PDB file of all heavy atoms in Angstrom:
ATOM      1  N   GLU A  40      11.614  17.383  13.736  1.00 95.00           N
ATOM      2  CA  GLU A  40      11.911  18.083  12.429  1.00 95.00           C
ATOM      3  C   GLU A  40      13.403  18.042  12.078  1.00 95.00           C
ATOM      4  O   GLU A  40      13.820  18.326  10.844  1.00 95.00           O
ATOM      5  CB  GLU A  40      11.373  19.563  12.373  1.00 95.00           C
ATOM      6  CG  GLU A  40       9.834  19.610  12.413  1.00 95.00           C
ATOM      7  CD  GLU A  40       9.240  21.037  12.298  1.00 95.00           C
ATOM      8  OE1 GLU A  40      10.090  21.920  12.166  1.00 95.00           O
ATOM      9  OE2 GLU A  40       8.097  21.188  12.291  1.00 95.00           O
ATOM     10  N   ARG A  41      14.108  17.912  13.078  1.00 96.00           N
ATOM     11  CA  ARG A  41      15.650  17.884  12.976  1.00 96.00           C
ATOM     12  C   ARG A  41      16.176  16.593  13.362  1.00 96.00           C
ATOM     13  O   ARG A  41      15.855  16.029  14.463  1.00 96.00           O
ATOM     14  CB  ARG A  41      16.263  18.972  13.555  1.00 96.00           C
ATOM     15  CG  ARG A  41      15.873  20.463  13.141  1.00 96.00           C
ATOM     16  CD  ARG A  41      16.432  21.496  14.081  1.00 96.00           C
ATOM     17  NE  ARG A  41      17.866  21.571  13.938  1.00 96.00           N
ATOM     18  CZ  ARG A  41      18.558  22.471  13.257  1.00 96.00           C
ATOM     19  NH1 ARG A  41      17.816  23.301  12.421  1.00 96.00           N
ATOM     20  NH2 ARG A  41      19.808  22.489  13.176  1.00 96.00           N
ATOM     21  N   THR A  42      17.035  15.884  12.575  1.00 97.00           N
ATOM     22  CA  THR A  42      17.654  14.621  13.017  1.00 97.00           C
ATOM     23  C   THR A  42      19.090  14.701  12.722  1.00 97.00           C
ATOM     24  O   THR A  42      19.699  14.904  11.675  1.00 97.00           O
ATOM     25  CB  THR A  42      17.131  13.428  12.212  1.00 97.00           C
ATOM     26  OG1 THR A  42      15.724  13.339  12.310  1.00 97.00           O
ATOM     27  CG2 THR A  42      17.774  12.102  12.577  1.00 97.00           C
ATOM     28  N   THR A  43      19.902  14.556  13.862  1.00 96.00           N
ATOM     29  CA  THR A  43      21.358  14.676  13.787  1.00 96.00           C
ATOM     30  C   THR A  43      21.960  13.277  13.486  1.00 96.00           C
ATOM     31  O   THR A  43      21.540  12.251  13.956  1.00 96.00           O
ATOM     32  CB  THR A  43      21.992  15.353  14.998  1.00 96.00           C
ATOM     33  OG1 THR A  43      21.581  14.498  16.119  1.00 96.00           O
ATOM     34  CG2 THR A  43      21.610  16.752  15.205  1.00 96.00           C
ATOM     35  N   ILE A  44      22.984  13.275  12.659  1.00 97.00           N
ATOM     36  CA  ILE A  44      23.726  12.030  12.409  1.00 97.00           C
ATOM     37  C   ILE A  44      25.306  12.210  12.871  1.00 97.00           C
ATOM     38  O   ILE A  44      25.779  13.282  12.520  1.00 97.00           O
ATOM     39  CB  ILE A  44      23.748  11.679  10.939  1.00 97.00           C
ATOM     40  CG1 ILE A  44      22.262  11.698  10.379  1.00 97.00           C
ATOM     41  CG2 ILE A  44      24.423  10.427  10.651  1.00 97.00           C
ATOM     42  CD1 ILE A  44      22.212  11.385   8.855  1.00 97.00           C
ATOM     43  N   GLY A  45      25.906  11.136  13.496  1.00 96.00           N
ATOM     44  CA  GLY A  45      27.168  11.316  13.848  1.00 96.00           C
ATOM     45  C   GLY A  45      27.811  10.075  14.312  1.00 96.00           C
ATOM     46  O   GLY A  45      27.230   8.977  13.938  1.00 96.00           O
ATOM     47  N   GLY A  46      28.967  10.046  14.968  1.00 94.00           N
ATOM     48  CA  GLY A  46      29.736   8.912  15.392  1.00 94.00           C
ATOM     49  C   GLY A  46      29.149   8.273  16.665  1.00 94.00           C
ATOM     50  O   GLY A  46      27.997   8.503  17.067  1.00 94.00           O
ATOM     51  N   PRO A  47      29.998   7.362  17.128  1.00 92.00           N
ATOM     52  CA  PRO A  47      29.412   6.518  18.415  1.00 92.00           C
ATOM     53  C   PRO A  47      28.915   7.523  19.508  1.00 92.00           C
ATOM     54  O   PRO A  47      29.443   8.500  19.662  1.00 92.00           O
ATOM     55  CB  PRO A  47      30.661   5.765  18.790  1.00 92.00           C
ATOM     56  CG  PRO A  47      31.513   5.650  17.496  1.00 92.00           C
ATOM     57  CD  PRO A  47      31.197   6.894  16.828  1.00 92.00           C
ATOM     58  N   ARG A  48      27.943   6.861  20.200  1.00 82.00           N
ATOM     59  CA  ARG A  48      27.309   7.577  21.319  1.00 82.00           C
ATOM     60  C   ARG A  48      28.257   7.964  22.479  1.00 82.00           C
ATOM     61  O   ARG A  48      29.208   7.220  22.738  1.00 82.00           O
ATOM     62  CB  ARG A  48      26.097   6.783  21.869  1.00 82.00           C
ATOM     63  CG  ARG A  48      25.075   6.386  20.891  1.00 82.00           C
ATOM     64  CD  ARG A  48      23.959   5.731  21.438  1.00 82.00           C
ATOM     65  NE  ARG A  48      23.283   6.592  22.396  1.00 82.00           N
ATOM     66  CZ  ARG A  48      22.352   7.571  22.017  1.00 82.00           C
ATOM     67  NH1 ARG A  48      22.071   7.736  20.690  1.00 82.00           N
ATOM     68  NH2 ARG A  48      21.714   8.349  22.854  1.00 82.00           N
ATOM     69  N   GLY A  49      28.062   9.143  23.029  1.00 75.00           N
ATOM     70  CA  GLY A  49      28.914   9.536  24.096  1.00 75.00           C
ATOM     71  C   GLY A  49      28.296  10.546  25.050  1.00 75.00           C
ATOM     72  O   GLY A  49      28.618  11.699  24.937  1.00 75.00           O
ATOM     73  N   GLY A  50      27.218  10.237  25.699  1.00 66.00           N
ATOM     74  CA  GLY A  50      26.661  11.176  26.670  1.00 66.00           C
ATOM     75  C   GLY A  50      25.451  11.937  25.995  1.00 66.00           C
ATOM     76  O   GLY A  50      24.967  11.559  24.956  1.00 66.00           O
ATOM     77  N   SER A  51      25.167  13.084  26.553  1.00 66.00           N
ATOM     78  CA  SER A  51      24.099  13.925  26.169  1.00 66.00           C
ATOM     79  C   SER A  51      24.255  14.583  24.755  1.00 66.00           C
ATOM     80  O   SER A  51      23.306  15.130  24.208  1.00 66.00           O
ATOM     81  CB  SER A  51      23.831  15.039  27.201  1.00 66.00           C
ATOM     82  OG  SER A  51      24.940  15.901  27.410  1.00 66.00           O
ATOM     83  N   GLU A  52      25.582  14.505  24.284  1.00 76.00           N
ATOM     84  CA  GLU A  52      25.864  15.221  23.054  1.00 76.00           C
ATOM     85  C   GLU A  52      25.782  14.305  21.937  1.00 76.00           C
ATOM     86  O   GLU A  52      26.181  14.614  20.804  1.00 76.00           O
ATOM     87  CB  GLU A  52      27.270  15.867  23.138  1.00 76.00           C
ATOM     88  CG  GLU A  52      27.362  17.007  24.185  1.00 76.00           C
ATOM     89  CD  GLU A  52      26.398  18.028  23.993  1.00 76.00           C
ATOM     90  OE1 GLU A  52      26.242  18.546  22.768  1.00 76.00           O
ATOM     91  OE2 GLU A  52      25.812  18.628  24.802  1.00 76.00           O
ATOM     92  N   SER A  53      25.329  13.093  22.047  1.00 85.00           N
ATOM     93  CA  SER A  53      25.256  12.030  20.991  1.00 85.00           C
ATOM     94  C   SER A  53      24.201  12.512  20.006  1.00 85.00           C
ATOM     95  O   SER A  53      23.211  13.293  20.312  1.00 85.00           O
ATOM     96  CB  SER A  53      24.825  10.818  21.534  1.00 85.00           C
ATOM     97  OG  SER A  53      25.897  10.301  22.456  1.00 85.00           O
ATOM     98  N   ALA A  54      24.441  12.061  18.760  1.00 93.00           N
ATOM     99  CA  ALA A  54      23.459  12.308  17.655  1.00 93.00           C
ATOM    100  C   ALA A  54      22.236  11.519  17.827  1.00 93.00           C
ATOM    101  O   ALA A  54      22.227  10.440  18.503  1.00 93.00           O
ATOM    102  CB  ALA A  54      24.112  12.068  16.323  1.00 93.00           C
ATOM    103  N   ASP A  55      21.153  11.893  17.212  1.00 93.00           N
ATOM    104  CA  ASP A  55      19.951  11.062  17.096  1.00 93.00           C
ATOM    105  C   ASP A  55      20.159   9.698  16.388  1.00 93.00           C
ATOM    106  O   ASP A  55      19.740   8.672  16.869  1.00 93.00           O
ATOM    107  CB  ASP A  55      18.861  11.777  16.265  1.00 93.00           C
ATOM    108  CG  ASP A  55      18.440  13.164  16.949  1.00 93.00           C
ATOM    109  OD1 ASP A  55      18.224  13.152  18.181  1.00 93.00           O
ATOM    110  OD2 ASP A  55      18.311  14.139  16.285  1.00 93.00           O
TER     111      ASP A  55
END
Side-chain angles (χ1 to χ4, degrees):
E40 292 186 354
R41 301 170 65 94
T42 301
T43 54
I44 305 174
R48 301 185 66 79
S51 60
E52 296 302 315
S53 297
D55 299 313

